[in-house]
Amino acid sequence: ELECDALCKEKTLHRVLRNVNSQLLVVRPDLNVAAFEDVTDQEMQSGKGMHFSIHCYKTTTPLAGMPVAFSVQVEDKSYYMCCERECGKMIVRFKEGEVPKEIPGESNIIFFKKTFTSCCSRAFKFEYSMERGMFLAFEEEGCLRKLTLKKLSKDEVDETMKISL
């Protein structure tokens, strides 16, 4: 009757991820980039790299938020989101492969889903499980709004971290 500490996949949601500007997150593995873009209805029908699977895991610590992992289909391949340290900075990457059914300990693919604000139940922020206070966000880089990890100071509300499902 004991519950193991491993995170076990509970359900999978299929969603597009939008930022505050109503742009969709689009993954382009060939360019090794994920960015929020304006997408036409026609492009959305084809759905290349923008229809995400959000894998929800059971947790024994619900206060941290719902543990989730992200994957996306591009062409006929599946990619999962993870974070890696590069030159002292955390980078969001998409790697080819499947999200595991069970995660025995810490993992660089897990994010904690939290409501963005108490009055905004349809928008969320996603905290990286291995580094408290680091959230998925977008960052202006030239004309791109690139997906990144960003530090949030305690009582701050940062619109770049607001993601609607």
Side-chain angles (χ1 to χ4, degrees):
E1 297 283 330
L2 290 177
E3 229 179 88
C4 65
D5 281 343
L7 292 171
C8 304
K9 203 187 294 185
E10 190 172 33
K11 65 182 176 188
T12 304
L13 307 170
H14 300 283
R15 300 282 192 273
V16 291
L17 306 181
R18 292 183 186 276
N19 67 6
V20 290
N21 307 327
S22 288
Q23 294 171 309
L24 261 57
L25 182 60
V26 180
V27 177
R28 302 192 190 284
D30 51 331
L31 305 172
N32 206 7
V33 73
F36 287 95
E37 300 178 11
D38 293 310
V39 175
T40 65
D41 288 344
Q42 194 175 356
E43 288 171 313
M44 196 157 162
Q45 300 302 303
S46 72
K48 289 187 176 82
M50 59 189 83
H51 293 284
F52 285 82
S53 294
I54 303 170
H55 308 272
C56 303
Y57 289 83
K58 286 182 185 163
T59 180
T60 52
T61 56
L63 288 176
M66 162 83 69
V68 298
F70 297 91
S71 66
V72 65
Q73 288 283 128
V74 181
E75 306 300 324
D76 55 351
K77 293 181 178 154
S78 190
Y79 296 85
Y80 63 90
M81 185 192 303
C82 64
C83 295
E84 295 176 334
R85 189 168 292 285
E86 194 176 277
C87 305
K89 189 178 177 202
M90 290 305 291
I91 307 286
V92 179
R93 293 233 186 283
F94 282 85
K95 293 192 170 177
E96 194 175 331
E98 298 293 329
V99 169
K101 294 213 180 319
E102 276 191 23
I103 298 173
E106 286 191 329
S107 172
N108 70 341
I109 69 165
I110 292 292
F111 295 85
F112 293 118
K113 177 181 157 195
K114 303 171 178 227
T115 50
F116 186 69
T117 58
S118 54
C119 62
C120 212
S121 63
R122 297 186 63 81
F124 302 92
K125 56 187 176 189
F126 294 91
E127 185 174 24
Y128 182 44
S129 66
M130 292 179 69
E131 233 172 282
R132 289 291 196 223
M134 293 292 282
F135 290 84
L136 287 177
F138 69 85
E139 193 172 73
E140 306 272 345
E141 197 173 283
C143 58
L144 272 183
R145 286 199 166 97
K146 241 172 108 174
L147 185 66
T148 184
L149 271 182
K150 192 172 176 185
K151 189 109 181 120
L152 180 70
S153 52
K154 203 133 181 77
D155 297 318
E156 185 183 2
V157 173
D158 186 333
E159 292 279 310
T160 66
M161 296 176 185
K162 186 176 185 178
I163 296 176
S164 302
L165 304 181

